[in-house]
Amino acid sequence: MTHIRLTLVDELATLILAHPPQNRIGSQMVDELAAALDEIERSEARAVLVCAEGPDFSFGGDIVRWPQMTNRELRTSFETYMVTFNHFERLPIPTIVAVQGLCFGGGLELAVRADVIFAGETARFGHPEQSIGIVTLLGGVYRVAERAGRSRAIEWAFTSEQVPATVMRDRGVVNRVVADADLMAQAKAFARKVANGPTRAHAAHKALMRIWATGGIAAADEAIMDIAMPLFETDDVKMALQTSVDAFLEAKPRPAFSFKGR
């Protein structure tokens, strides 16, 4: 792979956009991302951290070939991109993105598919699609709306403005803004923390959030028992629940648990 690098250390998978300086998202990067996601699915990874080489996370789509492509060719490409990005979004393990510099277009559409977004304090986000007369082709505008609300999302889409990381945090799109120099260390520390957590419970929470996003609270209430009850059969819950009861009966603090993801 030349546009994506994948490492797996201590059950944390790290996906690196490795086509600086702009990390433009084209067919090669998406093909390599698809292969990397398949490898993650086959691995023992319990969390994924996405980051990028260079000063910027991503300028978005690699538009150079678009004028020469037919509408049918463009649609086929974009549908492939959508499938791959959705594969990332639906991984049954926590996903964290660390954003530095500029995060535009397809880069933003990838970032908002993560569970948690860390951003450097000077990072900026935006939808440049409006500036060339198109829309956010991979579902960015409504995924931002899910986090920030319709009115703010449509304003950003209309204007293609560059939105500071602190504004994105205050509007609920970004989880944490940290000093640029601390970005990778803090994002990696968080990723390692959740990788060591109850992986099956993390997957269940992600499933419930997907159901809520499409069907609302009533749909999630209908599904929750089918998703939640199998957790009581996992090794992690059997260990943690009994140990917690024992600690309670002995009037001791609940210990920290070493979850195995099983």
Side-chain angles (χ1 to χ4, degrees), residues 200-201 204 223-238 262:
R200 297 279 295 278
I224 191 168
M225 290 305 165
D226 289 336
I227 292 172
M229 295 313 297
L231 294 174
F232 287 88
E233 300 300 319
T234 64
D235 292 343
D236 281 345
V237 171
K238 289 178 180 179
R262 298 189 293 271

Side-chain angles (χ1 to χ4, degrees), residues 138-179:
L138 304 179
V141 65
Y142 43 83
R143 283 177 171 82
V144 171
E146 184 183 18
R147 295 171 179 240
R150 181 189 184 281
S151 60
R152 187 61 62 182
I154 199 68
E155 177 185 338
W156 291 336
F158 281 169
T159 61
S160 296
E161 67 178 284
Q162 297 184 12
V163 185
T166 51
V167 175
M168 295 296 257
R169 177 199 60 203
D170 294 345
R171 296 297 179 180
V173 179
V174 166
N175 295 77
R176 302 189 190 185
V177 175
V178 302

Side-chain angles (χ1 to χ4, degrees), residues 5-223:
R5 286 207 315 276
L6 172 64
T7 64
L8 179 59
V9 179
D10 297 331
E11 299 179 309
L12 173 62
T14 302
L15 273 171
I16 303 169
L17 308 186
H19 191 47
Q22 296 187 355
N23 290 311
R24 291 274 182 176
I25 298 169
S27 295
Q28 182 171 343
M29 181 177 282
V30 171
D31 288 347
E32 292 182 12
L33 177 60
L37 294 174
D38 287 342
E39 187 171 343
I40 289 170
E41 293 265 40
R42 294 190 297 266
S43 75
E44 298 299 318
R46 294 168 61 193
V48 180
L49 172 64
V50 180
C51 54
E53 286 186 350
D56 299 302
F57 184 78
S58 175
F59 274 43
D62 185 355
I63 67 173
V64 172
R65 292 187 57 246
W66 292 6
Q68 285 73 50
M69 297 172 70
T70 66
N71 202 14
R72 182 174 181 177
E73 289 171 333
L74 285 167
R75 177 168 183 153
T76 298
S77 288
F78 298 148
E79 287 178 342
T80 299
Y81 294 5
M82 179 76 86
V83 168
T84 300
F85 277 33
N86 286 351
H87 184 183
F88 169 68
E89 186 173 44
R90 294 166 186 167
L91 287 174
I93 53 179
T95 53
I96 301 92
V97 169
V99 173
Q100 82 278 15
L102 302 180
C103 181
F104 293 159
L108 175 54
E109 292 178 297
L110 178 62
V112 293
R113 280 173 162 84
D115 299 314
V116 176
I117 302 174
F118 278 70
E121 59 190 349
T122 63
R124 286 173 289 161
F125 300 78
H127 299 298
E129 291 86 356
Q130 184 78 6
S131 65
I132 59 171
I134 61 173
V135 301
T136 56
L137 293 160
L138 304 179
V141 65
Y142 43 83
R143 283 177 171 82
V144 171
E146 184 183 18
R147 295 171 179 240
R150 181 189 184 281
S151 60
R152 187 61 62 182
I154 199 68
E155 177 185 338
W156 291 336
F158 281 169
T159 61
S160 296
E161 67 178 284
Q162 297 184 12
V163 185
T166 51
V167 175
M168 295 296 257
R169 177 199 60 203
D170 294 345
R171 296 297 179 180
V173 179
V174 166
N175 295 77
R176 302 189 190 185
V177 175
V178 302
D180 291 341
D182 298 334
L183 174 63
M184 283 308 302
Q186 292 204 28
K188 186 170 288 187
F190 180 87
R192 291 198 180 283
K193 178 179 179 180
V194 295
N196 291 326
T199 308
R200 297 279 295 278
H202 292 332
H205 273 129
K206 292 186 67 163
L208 287 168
M209 290 297 285
R210 284 196 300 273
I211 294 168
W212 165 79
T214 56
I217 289 175
D221 280 349
E222 286 295 319

